[in-house]
């Protein structure tokens, strides 16, 4: 979502006549769009600010945007005097006014969560450089997992209205986009009324997008298990453009830890959900997020996380060491897991995930599938695109262009990418 927000800020400042500088040192304005999810991400902003000082001692105007801005507010300007603007993720449409404030010598801190949507104030989508684009449809979270800052930094769950989403999707397709990834902290909690006033869920939105000529693929991320409705599951069998890939975080494998995390689902209910999804769409690739070393996690409880990985066989997954976040309930819990144990658990988990990822990739070798070409490869003649299952596929001498959807035979598979041979320059 930060990538999406960054693009919208760039487009908005572009509409005001600003252009992108080659690098930070040359810029008149640097916007650091920050993440507060783990301590490491949050600390990065302060080292980045330090690096923006030029040799002659001058510096660009510096704005700190995103969730660190939201969480720390004016504290940032106290800790880092070089920062001119602090702007939260729901207020960045006000960036041009904040720049004017700085030029007029006024303080420029805006961490409001205004009623009026920032989306109304942003300019229409500009021409897209890439054939795959993000589109935020839902923001915020009401789930309050005990370790997580998102409900505090991004605010309550809000769905963007149907018409607004469809307009932005059409603008993206007109701007050359062939794949849209719908974004939300809880994207599958999206709800809205269609143009006939009927209440729709994410499945209804996907169906409407499926009817957009020119659009080839639809994805969505991130989903919460409890919002995975039967209608959305069935949509994976019915909507042709909806890709067979689902990022469905479980976080941990032990019921005691899931309860302490306030995940409101159990190990069993999660596994049953996966089973149901696979019964509808047998080739569904699954991805997840995991946290190791939540306060009080025992060796046996960690083993249950490894177990869930073995049971699901994810095609890819992200895993993190627990990081206590200020203001969250878990930050006050006893049972701190020592760093060496955290490290060892993370390593074991990542080894298991990597092995599954390689096995998944190897199992696709020999298949004929579609690839949406997204960028040039490292060597001349190479193009890189994505399979339906979000794998990176490298094709040689494709005689095709970025943005083409082609048919490919997968001929080799590695841990992070696969090799493809062109079967047809036009996907059926
Ligand atoms: N510590 C470690 N990982 C976290 N995540 C969220 N909060 C924390 C935290 N305090 C992870 C979760 C989430 C992903 C986006 O980040 O796995 O799904
Ligand atoms: Fe954070 Fe996701 Fe839990 Fe919401 S559902 S509190 S965003 S981990």
């Amino acid at each position: 979502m930060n990538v999406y927000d960054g693009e919208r800020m760039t487009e908005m400042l572009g509409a005001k006549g600003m252009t992108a500088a080659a690098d930070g040192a040359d810029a008149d304005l640097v916007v650091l769009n920050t993440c507060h999810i783990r301590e490491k991400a949050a600390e990065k902003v302060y080292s980045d600010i330090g690096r923006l000082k030029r040799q002659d001692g001058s510096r660009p105007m510096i704005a700190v945007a995103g969730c660190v801005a939201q969480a720390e507010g004016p504290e940032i300007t106290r800790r880092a005097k070089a920062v001119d603007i602090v702007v939260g993720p729901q207020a960045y449409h006000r960036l041009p006014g904040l720049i004017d404030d700085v030029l007029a010598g006024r303080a420029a801190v805006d961490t409001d969560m205004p009623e009026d949507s920032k989306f109304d104030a942003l300019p229409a989508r500009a021409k897209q450089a890439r054939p795959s684009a993000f589109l935020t449809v839902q923001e915020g979270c009401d789930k309050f997992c005990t370790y997580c800052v998102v409900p505090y930094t991004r605010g309550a769950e809000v769905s963007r209205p149907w018409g607004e989403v469809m307009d932005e999707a059409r603008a993206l397709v007109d701007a050359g986009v062939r794949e849209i990834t719908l974004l939300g902290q809880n994207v599958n909690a999206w709800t809205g009324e269609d143009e006939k006033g009927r209440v729709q869920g994410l499945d209804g939105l996907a169906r409407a997008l499926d009817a957009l000529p020119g659009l080839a693929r639809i994805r969505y991320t991130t989903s919460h298990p409890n919002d995975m409705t039967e209608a959305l599951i069935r949509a994976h069998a019915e909507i042709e453009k909806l890709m067979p890939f689902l990022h469905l975080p479980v976080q941990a494998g032990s019921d005691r830890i899931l309860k302490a995390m306030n995940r409101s689902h159990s190990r069993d209910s999660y596994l049953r959900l996966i089973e149901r999804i696979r019964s509808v769409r047998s080739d569904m690739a699954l991805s997840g997020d995991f946290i190791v070393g939540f306060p009080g996690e025992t060796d046996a409880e960690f083993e249950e996380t490894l177990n869930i990985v073995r049971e699901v066989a994810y095609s890819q997954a992200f895993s993190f060491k627990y990081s206590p976040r200020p203001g969250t309930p878990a930050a006050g819990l006893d049972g701190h897991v020592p760093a060496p144990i955290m490290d060892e658990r993370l390593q074991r988990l990542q080894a298991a995930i990597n092995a599954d990822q390689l096995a998944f990739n190897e199992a696709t070798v020999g298949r004929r599938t579609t690839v949406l070409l997204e960028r040039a490869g490292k060597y001349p003649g190479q193009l890189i695109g994505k399979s339906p299952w979000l794998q990176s596929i490298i094709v040689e001498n494709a005689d095709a262009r970025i943005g083409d959807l082609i048919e490919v035979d997968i001929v080799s598979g590695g841990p992070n990418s696969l090799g493809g041979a062109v079967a047809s320059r036009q996907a059926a």
Side-chain angles (χ1 to χ4, degrees), residues 138-157:
Q138 183 280 336
E139 278 188 286
C141 182
D142 298 338
K143 304 287 189 289
F144 290 94
C145 301
T146 54
Y147 50 81
C148 184
V149 289
V150 167
Y152 312 98
T153 53
R154 288 267 174 184
E157 283 179 14

Side-chain angles (χ1 to χ4, degrees), residues 6 19 29 35 42 74 83 105 112 117 151 169 182 186 202 229 343 357 408:
T19 52
L29 166 74
C35 176
V83 172
D112 282 359
S117 160
L182 304 173
N186 275 290
L202 195 68
T229 61
D343 288 337
Q357 182 171 327
V408 159

Side-chain angles (χ1 to χ4, degrees), residues 4 125 128 130-137 165-174 176-183 205-206 209-210 212 214-221 241-243 372 374:
Y4 174 85
R125 300 307 305 262
Q128 299 292 302
R130 288 182 300 262
S132 181
F134 290 131
L135 199 176
T136 292
V137 300
V165 172
M166 289 306 295
D167 284 349
E168 189 169 332
R170 279 187 212 99
L172 285 170
V173 172
D174 288 346
V177 162
R178 306 218 55 204
E179 173 180 275
I180 290 179
T181 302
L182 304 173
L183 296 181
L205 193 57
L209 292 171
D210 190 51
L212 280 190
L215 187 65
R217 289 176 163 188
I218 305 161
R219 301 180 185 278
Y220 59 94
T221 198
K241 292 178 187 174
L242 197 55
M243 292 294 103
L372 176 63
E374 292 184 353

Side-chain angles (χ1 to χ4, degrees), residues 34-48 68 72 79 319-326 343 346:
T34 61
C35 176
H36 202 242
I37 198 91
R38 284 170 293 276
E39 192 178 354
K40 242 194 180 147
E43 281 302 314
K44 203 172 172 301
V45 63
Y46 292 102
S47 55
D48 284 351
V68 176
E72 297 188 4
R79 186 166 158 191
S319 46
F320 313 99
K321 288 188 265 188
Y322 169 71
S323 167
R325 307 308 295 129
D343 288 337
L346 188 70

Side-chain angles (χ1 to χ4, degrees), residues 391-404:
Q391 298 153 297
S392 284
I393 313 282
I394 302 172
V395 288
E396 313 275 348
N397 305 315
D399 190 21
R401 280 184 313 229
I402 289 170
D404 287 351

